[in-house]
Amino acid sequence: MSADLRCQLGRLSLKNPVMPASGCFDWYPEHDGPFHPDELGAVVLKSTTLQPRDGNIPIRLAETPSGMLNAIGIPSYGLEGFRTILREKWSRLKTPVIASISAFTPEEYAILARELGKEPTVAALEINLSCPNLEHGVIPAQDPVLLRECVEAVREATEAMIIAKLSPNVTDIVEMASISESAGADAICLINSIRGMEIDIWKKKPILGRGTGGLSGPAIKPIALAMVYEVCGAVKVPVIGVGGISRAEDAIAFLLAGASAVQVGTISFRDPLAMRKIITGIREYLDSEGYTSVTDIIGLARTDT
Ligand SMILES: Cc1cc2nc3c(=O)[nH]c(=O)nc-3n(C[C@H](O)[C@H](O)[C@H](O)COP(=O)(O)O)c2cc1C
């Protein structure tokens, strides 16, 4: 018999530990595509803001060696528009749906959490504390005081499961994870993209319209893995590993480091079936290594247990 991929992420029961990273997956039910999101452990939606937003000026995406730069800037339908899409489209899924919220103040985070936490379709809320390319303001995940205020505001606003998504663009990721945990996060997700830039040497200006953006994809995997490893050793809440996961082997490394689940982002732009291949590859690894459940390998590579 094949290994059991079911796992637990806090109070969420997942059929497997693989989900898309926010902003890297969509689904068009009217097109009968080759991949149905119910194959996934959960679906994480693109971050939504309170008010509608257009996002950044183009160019918003640039390919780099082993990765991609983006400065999308959270285009959003706003709360009301998002709620409509949630009810009309995402409510059709059987797999858990995780909504991602992005905001400019703790008060805005609280409104989004209160409103979306009430939606029956929303199984959990991911708090995007880390978008590195908004045009103004401090990034909460980089400021210990603001981070605490934002997570506490969300915690007070909802009883829904909340996941704090952190930025790698900090000196001490463990400090930020510990603050999130003590402020009431039920899980931690890391990492968001890493600040980066590319320059068009012929036009003699940055490629991205905003100048800098966030680097994602295979190039960032070792950085993400080290941070996930460190955070898993420091917090009690479950950790979701994300950053450069492109193959089953990458996902397995994050589970061995202690992550309870993984998210897959940039590779889906190149291969829309990547997540299915990663799920299949995890099962094949477990079978060949003689494990009966994916939970058997979580944290196995840790030297501190
Ligand atoms: C095009 C694009 C859009 C993204 N949008 C969001 C977003 O809306 N909210 C968020 O929390 N992260 C967003 N991210 C970050 C990803 O969720 C993920 O944390 C990051 O890309 C690292 O994973 P990867 O290397 O597998 O892509 C975005 C990334 C990309 C490439």
Side-chain angles (χ1 to χ4, degrees):
M1 213 173 72
S2 206
D4 188 353
L5 292 187
R6 284 175 303 172
C7 55
Q8 207 62 32
L9 182 71
R11 63 180 104 149
L12 272 192
S13 299
L14 308 180
K15 67 166 83 64
N16 65 63
V18 179
M19 53 186 95
S22 177
C24 300
F25 178 77
D26 207 343
W27 171 54
Y28 300 93
E30 60 277 15
H31 302 298
D32 192 16
F35 184 77
H36 196 283
D38 277 339
E39 292 181 35
L40 298 163
V43 165
V44 186
L45 306 183
K46 169 80 185 164
S47 296
T48 191
T49 53
L50 188 55
Q51 303 300 338
R53 286 172 53 82
D54 289 336
N56 291 331
I57 53 164
I59 296 173
R60 296 174 170 190
L61 287 178
E63 213 172 321
T64 63
S66 300
M68 182 165 92
L69 280 170
N70 90 82
I72 307 281
I74 319 277
S76 164
Y77 294 107
L79 174 60
E80 291 315 319
F82 177 78
R83 200 165 10 208
T84 303
I85 297 168
L86 192 67
R87 290 177 181 173
E88 289 180 359
K89 181 165 95 168
W90 298 110
S91 62
R92 301 188 210 177
L93 294 187
K94 294 187 183 68
T95 204
V97 173
I98 300 176
S100 168
I101 56 175
S102 214
F104 298 100
T105 62
E107 293 73 27
E108 280 188 7
Y109 275 116
I111 296 169
L112 285 163
R114 193 186 61 227
E115 293 305 312
L116 294 177
K118 290 192 287 210
E119 291 293 318
T121 301
V122 172
L125 286 168
E126 190 172 272
I127 323 169
N128 178 8
L129 296 150
S130 46
C131 185
N133 36 28
L134 296 176
E135 61 273 67
H136 55 82
V138 185
I139 295 171
Q142 292 178 336
D143 179 322
V145 175
L146 189 56
L147 175 63
R148 178 174 294 287
E149 281 175 18
C150 291
V151 178
E152 282 179 353
V154 172
R155 181 68 297 158
E156 281 165 26
T158 183
E159 288 180 359
M161 177 176 174
I162 59 173
I163 303 165
K165 181 164 178 189
L166 298 179
S167 167
N169 304 312
V170 294
T171 312
D172 187 351
I173 191 72
V174 167
E175 180 194 6
M176 298 307 188
S178 302
I179 289 171
S180 305
E181 180 181 43
S182 67
D186 300 301
I188 309 286
C189 175
L190 70 161
I191 60 175
N192 209 313
S193 51
I194 299 176
R195 195 156 171 269
M197 179 187 241
E198 199 51 87
I199 286 181
D200 183 329
I201 62 165
W202 306 113
K203 292 184 181 154
K204 301 175 185 67
K205 60 176 198 170
I207 292 180
L208 294 176
R210 276 210 68 240
T212 59
L215 181 66
S216 61
I220 73 168
K221 191 200 100 180
I223 299 167
L225 192 56
M227 289 189 169
V228 166
Y229 185 94
E230 284 170 10
V231 167
C232 286
V235 299
K236 294 203 167 52
V237 293
V239 171
I240 305 171
V242 50
I245 296 175
S246 311
R247 310 167 303 156
E249 288 87 338
D250 302 326
I252 292 161
F254 278 86
L255 298 171
L256 292 170
S260 299
V262 295
Q263 292 181 358
V264 177
T266 299
I267 191 65
S268 294
F269 291 91
R270 171 169 287 183
D271 178 3
L273 297 182
M275 288 187 283
R276 177 189 285 163
K277 292 173 189 168
I278 290 171
I279 294 166
T280 305
I282 295 172
R283 184 178 281 117
E284 285 169 0
Y285 171 84
L286 295 171
D287 290 344
S288 72
E289 291 287 304
Y291 295 104
T292 52
S293 164
V294 71
T295 57
D296 293 343
I297 68 163
I298 291 173
L300 274 190
R302 303 199 62 84
T303 55
D304 55 1
T305 50

